[in-house]
Amino acid sequence: MAQAIGVDIGGTGIKAGIVNLDHGTLDSERVRIPTPLGARPADVLNTVREVLEVLGVAESRLPLGVAFPAIVKRGRTLSAANIAKEWIGFEAEKFFEDGLGRHISFVNDADAAGVAEARHGAARDARGLTVMTTLGTGIGSAFLYDGMLIPNTELGHLKHEGESIERWTAYSAMEREQLSWEDWSARLQVFYSHVEFLFSPDLFVVGGGVSKHPEKFLPLLELNTPIVAAVHRNSSGIIGAASLASD
Ligand code: BGC
């Protein structure tokens, strides 16, 4: 049975698990440790070490995939919305490889989640354009065309009143402003209608922490495109990172 390890670094939590690559499911518990305040490189690296230790895989030679909440191009992180600004233009993949003493595969978090859903979840066998969005601390996005990832789309940074729309529409905005599901859904409606008009997708998949409660908000959205919750919910990033690491 083929296995790999996935680590999903988020703005709020760093999560990891051992992934069964045949089924795209977790073969272990899902370990989660809060992201250190400020999310600076050295602190994030230490927390990644810690999750791997808790998971019992610190010395494992299984393929390791790491998903990260920023634009990732040739191993470098090029943006920093909910993490320390030091990550901008940083050789992050090499930093983690040196710090962990092993090879890793390094990818944007929403792209990892999209790959998991395309290979093993809600977008399996989906034709045309699937737009995966993760609603968490920020909003992440992944475009998959006939299952093929088009990396580094950043729909959370579409502008709304001069700011990145994720500030207004991510799940963290609902928590911060104590919005009702109805009020939050009205904001999501603005976001998804705009994306629908711009890209004419064939399917929307919604992941992130809030995908545990799809019945609370998906029925409130009026779109022409089918919109479904991620099958792997909050584990999509872990599963996709592991899956990409084994390619
Ligand atoms: C980042 C994205 C990331 C998303 C979800 C955004 O602020 O710019 O790269 O995918 O948050 O973590």
Side-chain angles (χ1 to χ4, degrees):
M1 177 190 54
Q3 286 182 321
I5 304 158
V7 175
D8 184 7
I9 299 173
T12 318
I14 299 184
K15 298 138 281 192
I18 302 172
V19 175
N20 177 319
L21 297 170
D22 301 327
H23 300 123
T25 49
L26 290 189
D27 269 349
S28 70
E29 57 167 335
R30 177 173 171 282
V31 172
R32 180 185 186 281
I33 298 182
T35 304
L37 211 66
R40 304 188 61 185
D43 300 333
V44 170
L45 171 62
N46 279 334
T47 309
V48 169
R49 282 203 189 99
E50 214 180 314
V51 290
L52 293 175
E53 262 158 39
V54 177
L55 196 59
V57 293
E59 303 300 323
S60 166
R61 290 290 116 182
L62 290 174
L64 170 62
V66 178
F68 195 83
I71 300 170
V72 175
K73 199 118 181 155
R74 289 180 211 93
R76 278 161 77 97
T77 40
L78 299 183
S79 64
N82 298 297
I83 51 178
K85 298 294 173 232
E86 287 156 89
W87 293 99
I88 300 174
F90 189 72
E91 292 286 353
E93 180 168 11
K94 186 171 184 312
F95 173 76
F96 283 112
E97 287 191 332
D98 291 349
L100 299 172
R102 54 159 305 160
H103 175 70
I104 66 164
S105 115
F106 192 62
V107 64
N108 170 267
D109 58 352
D111 284 345
V115 165
E117 292 299 316
R119 292 184 180 177
H120 302 286
R124 204 171 159 164
D125 301 325
R127 300 286 92 195
L129 179 64
T130 297
V131 173
M132 168 91 192
T133 50
T134 60
L135 305 175
T137 312
I139 295 184
S141 59
F143 279 24
L144 298 122
Y145 197 84
D146 286 351
M148 167 88 79
L149 174 69
I150 303 160
N152 289 315
T153 57
E154 285 284 343
L155 297 185
H157 298 285
L158 286 170
K159 288 287 182 262
H160 173 82
E161 294 179 356
E163 265 197 323
S164 290
I165 198 163
E166 67 176 15
R167 274 292 294 167
W168 186 67
T169 319
Y171 186 44
S172 58
M174 180 186 185
E175 292 181 312
R176 189 173 59 240
E177 298 180 44
Q178 299 186 345
L179 300 175
S180 65
W181 288 101
E182 287 71 23
D183 288 347
W184 184 57
S185 298
R187 296 184 180 191
L188 289 178
Q189 181 71 50
V190 173
F191 172 69
Y192 283 110
S193 293
H194 190 43
V195 173
E196 178 174 64
F197 178 76
L198 290 178
F199 300 106
S200 301
D202 297 284
L203 176 68
F204 280 119
V205 181
V206 181
V210 74
S211 57
K212 279 181 281 187
H213 312 288
E215 73 291 348
K216 303 267 198 210
F217 65 101
L218 290 186
L220 304 181
L221 299 176
E222 283 178 33
L223 297 162
N224 298 317
T225 312
I227 183 161
V228 297
V231 166
H232 299 291
R233 307 284 154 105
N234 220 359
S235 297
S236 307
I238 298 174
I239 294 168
S243 184
L244 285 165
S246 67
D247 281 354

